Structure formats: C-alpha cells, structure tokens
Amino acid sequence: MVEETDYYDILGVSPLVSDDDIRKAYYLKARQVHPDKNPNDPQAAERFQVLGEAYQVLSDPVKRDAYDRNGKGSISKDTMLDSTAVFAFLFGSEVFEDYIGHLAVATMASAEIVGENDTPEILHDKLKIIQREREERLARILINFIQQYVRGDKEGFLDRAESEVERLTQAAFGANILHTIGYIYERQAAQELGKKAIYLGVPFMAEWVRTKGHFWKSQITAAKGAFQLLQLQEEASRQFKMDGSGPINDVESHLKSSKETLMSSLWKLNVVDIEVTLLHVCQMVLHENNVKKEELKARAVALKLLGKIFQVGFLNCVND
C-alpha cells in the first residue's frame, strides 16, 4: 500500500506498473507538454518540470521505494535533475530532430511500435525499418543543407551554419550534442576527401584508423556509462535498506552526490546511437548513386566545413 499516488497520477499510471511502463508514460506525456512544443504557454515549463520530477522519483528504485513508503516528504527537491536536461539525455532534444532524429531509446519508449503479440524478432525487424527511415530522412535534410554550398552560395551556407550553432546551443545539453554531430561530420568528410586525394590512400588509412579508434572508444564509454548506472543502483541498495530502515537524510545525501555521475552516464549511453546513425547518414550523403563525382566531392568539403563550425561552436560555448 503506497502512502500517496500524486506522482503516479501525474504520469497517468497505477502504483503497480513496471519501470518500462513508467518510462513509456513519461515519454508520451513529455512530448505533449514539452516547452519547445508549447512556446506560447507560460505554464508549459512548470508542467514539464513537475512531470520530470514524477519520472525521476518513480524511475529510481531507491526514490520510488522511499516515496511509496513515506510520500513526497521523503524526497528533497535538491536531489532532482533539471527536467529538460533529463529528457534530452534520455530521448534527445526536439531542436536536434533534423540532425539526429529520434534516439533509439525514444523509439523503444514509444508504445505505438510494440504490438500486443510481437515477438522479439518482430520487434527487431520493426526497429530496423524505423532506423532505416530515420537515416534516410536525416540524409535528405543534410543534403538539402549542404547543397547551398555545392551550388556556390558559400557565404549563405556559412551564415546559416553559424545561425544553427547559435540556435542549437540554446537547447538542453545542446553544445555536447552539437560537438558529437560536428565530429562525425568532419571525420567522415575528411576520410572521404583523403581517400580520393592521396596516392595509395595513405592519409585515408590514417583517417580510417582514427575513426575506428574513436568508435571503439565510444563503445567502451557507453559500456562504462551503463556500468556506472548499475553501480549507482547497487550502491544505493546496499547503503539504504529496502525495508525502509535507512535514514532519509542519508538517502538525500547519496542522491545529491550521484547527480553528476547520473547525468554523465545517461549521456554516454546515447552517444553511440547518435554516432552510428550519423555514420550511416554521412555515407548516404557522400555515396549517393547517380550523383557526379565532382558534386560528391563538393558535398564532402561542405560537410567537413560544417563539422568544424559545429565543433567550434561547442568550444565557444564551453569557454564562455
């Protein structure tokens, strides 16, 4: 028997639902009330924050147990992460949809794709189709963007790129997402240009090794992120007995100290999805059939330039 149900009511679920159902309910409601989708509603940010607080409590085993036993009084607002940042970490920012699409975790959280009788194989096939459509859509958008440079309007292209940097860095965790996008753009373009420009492809091999090394590093980083999340949960379970005997002050102290690790871990888990997706997108853009070699080379030059601008935007944001 739970002490109160306010947080469950905010998400529209019962106290008996699974963690997976809580995540799906949060995702669907968060997309509806996100401030970016309701720019003319002064209450949107507050509603989104409340929704995020409910999710943060109910998605964490320690917080959920404390809430079920003792209500909101057992959860300090100081332990809460910014709801906009949490949504961006978990599902990506809608501001970046034209660059990274819907993250894989967001697709998995969408109830629409899962049929009642779907087997794991059927779900896997559905996800493959969705991912392919995601990549094809992003490739079309990216081609349209860099086509301005390819047509010769270099000044207009640069102005648009700088404007995008200013817009995208305003989003939650926007600078970090922008840096990831910029790095993949530049590396893939440099690899393509090096392959075509140098005899025997020696610089191309250097780019290939550098890119492969980066992706291996990202995979390891993602694994570390997942491991850190497990460690947080296991440490919390050890430190605070799930029978309710753990001191509330100790719980709050632990959650506060874990904030930075939690945010970092969530981000690491999404980096690989973004990078692998953009790798495929860049390949589509740089190897499109029935496009002249000269135009493909111009695309690579534009893509490399765009990647550099995005990365400089990140550095400027960090140094400000």
Side-chain angles (χ1 to χ4, degrees):
M1 188 70 180
V2 299
E3 178 70 17
E4 62 180 63
T5 63
D6 287 359
Y7 283 148
Y8 291 101
D9 295 339
I10 289 170
L11 291 177
V13 298
S14 82
L16 302 177
V17 298
S18 67
D19 294 342
D20 192 46
D21 288 332
I22 287 173
R23 185 176 68 252
K24 289 179 180 178
Y26 168 67
Y27 174 67
L28 295 176
K29 284 187 174 291
R31 283 181 62 83
Q32 294 173 0
V33 303
H34 197 289
D36 289 347
K37 283 201 169 184
N38 300 274
N40 298 321
D41 184 353
Q43 304 300 319
E46 182 179 350
R47 288 200 302 272
F48 189 74
Q49 185 67 26
V50 170
L51 185 67
E53 289 176 5
Y55 173 73
Q56 289 181 60
V57 171
L58 299 183
S59 64
D60 183 290
V62 175
K63 289 183 183 179
R64 185 176 180 180
D65 182 73
Y67 173 71
D68 286 347
R69 293 177 183 276
N70 305 302
K72 289 182 181 178
S74 63
I75 306 295
S76 170
K77 291 290 183 72
D78 292 337
T79 67
M80 298 292 184
L81 305 173
D82 178 72
S83 292
T84 306
V86 169
F87 186 84
F89 284 138
L90 287 173
F91 307 116
S93 171
E94 295 202 350
V95 175
F96 280 90
E97 273 196 16
D98 285 348
Y99 292 93
I100 62 175
H102 290 294
L103 296 180
V105 68
T107 301
M108 287 296 293
S110 177
E112 290 87 354
I113 73 161
V114 182
E116 185 176 347
N117 299 316
D118 281 356
T119 63
E121 292 76 16
I122 292 175
L123 180 58
H124 176 70
D125 290 341
K126 285 184 177 181
L127 290 173
K128 283 180 63 177
I129 293 172
I130 290 172
Q131 177 65 12
R132 182 67 181 180
E133 291 174 346
R134 172 190 179 191
E135 293 168 0
E136 289 174 348
R137 172 181 173 273
L138 294 177
R140 290 193 299 270
I141 293 172
L142 183 55
I143 289 172
N144 183 64
F145 192 148
I146 62 179
Q147 201 64 24
Q148 187 172 13
Y149 181 96
V150 174
R151 291 196 303 264
D153 184 9
K154 298 181 180 180
E155 185 175 343
F157 172 80
L158 293 175
D159 288 344
R160 183 181 176 189
E162 294 290 351
S163 178
E164 282 295 271
V165 168
E166 184 176 351
R167 180 178 73 90
L168 296 171
T169 52
Q170 300 304 310
F173 218 57
N176 296 73
I177 299 175
L178 191 68
H179 181 267
T180 299
I181 295 170
Y183 181 88
I184 299 301
Y185 282 179
E186 183 186 3
R187 288 271 61 84
Q188 288 302 300
Q191 179 175 318
E192 192 63 25
L193 291 169
K195 179 175 64 176
K196 293 182 177 180
I198 306 299
Y199 180 65
L200 292 181
V202 175
F204 160 65
M205 285 302 296
E207 290 293 346
W208 184 87
V209 171
R210 187 180 303 167
T211 300
K212 281 293 182 183
H214 174 77
F215 279 115
W216 276 112
K217 182 179 178 182
S218 293
Q219 295 281 356
I220 293 171
T221 300
K224 286 181 179 178
F227 182 67
Q228 285 174 338
L229 289 177
L230 291 174
Q231 280 186 318
L232 285 178
Q233 183 173 336
E234 289 174 1
E235 182 184 342
S237 297
R238 285 196 305 269
Q239 188 172 352
F240 318 118
K241 297 178 181 178
M242 298 304 283
D243 61 5
S245 63
I248 291 176
N249 289 339
D250 287 348
V251 175
E252 291 182 1
S253 175
H254 172 74
L255 294 173
K256 288 177 185 177
S257 66
S258 301
K259 266 187 177 184
E260 186 174 339
T261 302
L262 177 59
M263 297 287 268
S264 174
S265 300
L266 288 173
W267 168 243
K268 289 172 184 175
L269 290 172
N270 277 333
V271 166
V272 171
D273 174 39
I274 294 174
E275 291 189 346
V276 171
T277 297
L278 293 186
L279 170 63
H280 295 158
V281 168
C282 289
Q283 292 300 304
M284 291 179 183
V285 171
L286 299 175
H287 296 101
E288 186 178 7
N289 293 329
N290 302 319
V291 176
K292 293 180 178 180
K293 291 183 179 181
E294 293 77 11
E295 180 172 339
L296 291 177
K297 182 177 180 180
R299 287 184 182 182
V301 172
L303 190 61
K304 185 176 181 180
L305 182 57
L306 183 60
K308 286 184 175 180
I309 292 172
F310 280 4
Q311 290 179 87
V312 170
F314 164 78
L315 293 175
N316 290 340
C317 189
V318 170
N319 293 331
D320 283 347

